[in-house]
Amino acid sequence: MAALFPPPPGPRFVLRGTQSPVNTLHFCPASQALGSPLLFSGSQSGLVHIWSLQTRRTVAALNGHRGQGVTWLKTLPQGHQLLSQGRDLRLCLWDLAEGRNTIMDAVQLDNVGFCRSSVLARGQLCWMLAIPGKGSDEIQILEMPSKTSVCTLKPEADAKPGMPMCLGLWQTNSSSRPLLLAGYEDGSVTLWDISERKVCSRIACHEEPVMGLDFDSQKAKGVSGSAGKVLAVWSLDSQQSLQVYKTHELTNPGIAEVTIRPDHKILATAGWDHRIRVFNWRTMKPLAVLTFHSASVYCVAFAPDGLLAAGSKDQRISIWSLYPCP
């Protein structure tokens, strides 16, 4: 294994110019970007920067969140539309076609918490959106772009999981029923059946709030990180029951985000201790600890070709080429 995975070098390159801590990152594939692949970054100052990975410079800066931090970004399947969530209680839908870079629509949010939204494509023109709800423990599901309310997911009275901290919409290949994974303030992860408006399963993974999660629908297993030291790996059986089957304790507490590479081979974590950690997804064997940033790493994202980006409080975005996709 050591021969296959030599110690990683430094970043392939570094993007500078946000002039503000970088809260969130999202790659737009070349097929969607109508040309060279793009990277979107959301900053604490409220700006969304669009970066060309060829020129390594900003193509545009979008200013739609009134100076309040951008917490989540996602392009829609048709590629020329971008969703951005900000702490100004707005989720903006941007038209990026032909350099327009204008807000087409916006969803007003009722909760100023740290919970990032999630989106699930339902064809080229429609998608489902999960957002923090009006009540502090609620999650609202919308059909977009009509903004039709599908349902509000509220824990049972005796559950008391606290606020949702991170969301992940998905569906199995064999079913069109949408499901939602939610990480909560009490350290639990819950699987919701949206059609039935009910909890399928709930597990206690962490002693601290869940800060990030990702799910591999091919392997029916996921991973979550928290404000504590534990990285939890959990599985989902055919009865839609979650089970923790492995944990990995880190040296220092605080995982801001965790993401699995699109080829399901490795995963990366963003650490409050300034480090990016890379693991083998199948075995959870640690592969690398990347030490470049001088402050907390807030976000990590993989490109379809395996390129890794990390954004930090130090206002820099590091780009890494690790263990190339086969």
Side-chain angles (χ1 to χ4, degrees):
M1 201 60 140
L4 287 175
F5 300 119
R12 189 163 153 192
F13 55 91
V14 179
L15 302 175
R16 295 176 173 86
T18 62
Q19 299 180 324
S20 178
V22 181
N23 290 340
T24 184
L25 293 166
H26 174 65
F27 280 100
C28 182
S31 58
Q32 291 185 12
L34 305 175
S36 64
L38 300 172
L39 175 66
F40 296 87
S41 68
S43 69
Q44 208 160 287
S45 68
L47 294 181
V48 176
H49 289 91
I50 306 175
W51 303 86
S52 164
L53 297 178
Q54 284 188 336
T55 64
R56 303 176 187 179
R57 296 182 183 278
T58 53
V59 176
L62 312 179
N63 187 0
H65 290 284
R66 307 179 181 117
Q68 299 294 306
V70 178
T71 57
W72 177 73
L73 296 167
K74 183 75 173 178
T75 47
L76 295 174
Q78 55 267 50
H80 61 269
Q81 293 182 356
L82 172 75
L83 289 168
S84 67
Q85 178 183 347
R87 289 183 64 77
D88 61 338
L89 295 176
R90 283 212 313 170
L91 196 148
C92 297
L93 174 62
W94 297 84
D95 176 12
L96 306 181
E98 300 171 352
R100 280 194 282 272
N101 300 341
T102 54
I103 296 173
M104 301 165 59
D105 204 351
V107 175
Q108 196 66 29
L109 304 176
D110 292 308
N111 194 319
V112 77
F114 294 94
C115 185
R116 296 171 177 177
S117 300
S118 181
V119 68
L120 177 67
R122 312 276 278 172
Q124 279 289 327
L125 300 176
C126 299
W127 64 95
M128 183 171 277
L129 183 66
I131 59 175
K134 199 164 199 170
S136 64
D137 61 353
E138 294 177 355
I139 301 163
Q140 189 177 6
I141 308 295
L142 300 176
E143 224 24 282
M144 298 290 289
S146 66
K147 302 188 201 174
T148 306
S149 179
V150 175
C151 64
T152 298
L153 304 176
K154 184 174 174 61
E156 294 171 3
D158 59 345
K160 295 187 171 49
M163 292 188 296
M165 303 294 291
C166 48
L167 306 173
L169 279 168
W170 64 285
Q171 64 189 36
T172 63
N173 294 331
S174 59
S175 170
S176 61
R177 292 169 72 88
L179 300 167
L180 175 76
L181 284 159
Y184 285 91
E185 191 178 8
D186 71 346
S188 66
V189 172
T190 297
L191 176 68
W192 289 90
D193 183 318
I194 291 170
S195 304
E196 299 283 336
R197 279 79 161 155
K198 70 172 187 180
V199 172
C200 300
S201 181
R202 180 172 177 267
I203 47 169
C205 294
H206 305 276
E207 295 180 357
E208 301 283 344
V210 181
M211 302 304 293
L213 60 77
D214 201 0
F215 185 69
D216 178 348
S217 58
Q218 288 183 8
K219 295 184 173 72
K221 70 172 186 174
V223 60
S224 53
S226 77
K229 289 184 178 182
V230 172
L231 201 58
V233 181
W234 26 270
S235 60
L236 181 65
D237 65 20
S238 58
Q239 306 301 309
Q240 295 191 337
S241 176
L242 293 167
Q243 311 230 320
V244 177
Y245 81 92
K246 188 176 286 188
T247 58
H248 181 90
E249 186 159 329
L250 303 176
T251 311
N252 301 308
I255 296 172
E257 189 168 26
V258 56
T259 185
I260 302 166
R261 198 166 73 176
D263 68 352
H264 312 283
K265 294 283 198 281
I266 63 175
L267 73 102
T269 64
W272 293 353
D273 64 356
H274 313 177
R275 291 166 173 79
I276 306 147
R277 288 178 170 80
V278 182
F279 298 84
N280 180 302
W281 175 221
R282 183 176 63 82
T283 64
M284 285 305 292
K285 177 185 176 182
L287 298 178
V289 179
L290 309 178
T291 54
F292 167 76
H293 290 283
S294 58
S296 294
V297 180
Y298 287 158
C299 49
V300 280
F302 280 111
D305 65 0
L307 212 60
L308 171 66
S312 170
K313 185 181 179 180
D314 68 11
Q315 307 184 10
R316 296 179 294 176
I317 301 167
S318 58
I319 308 292
W320 306 79
S321 185
L322 301 169
Y323 319 127
C325 292

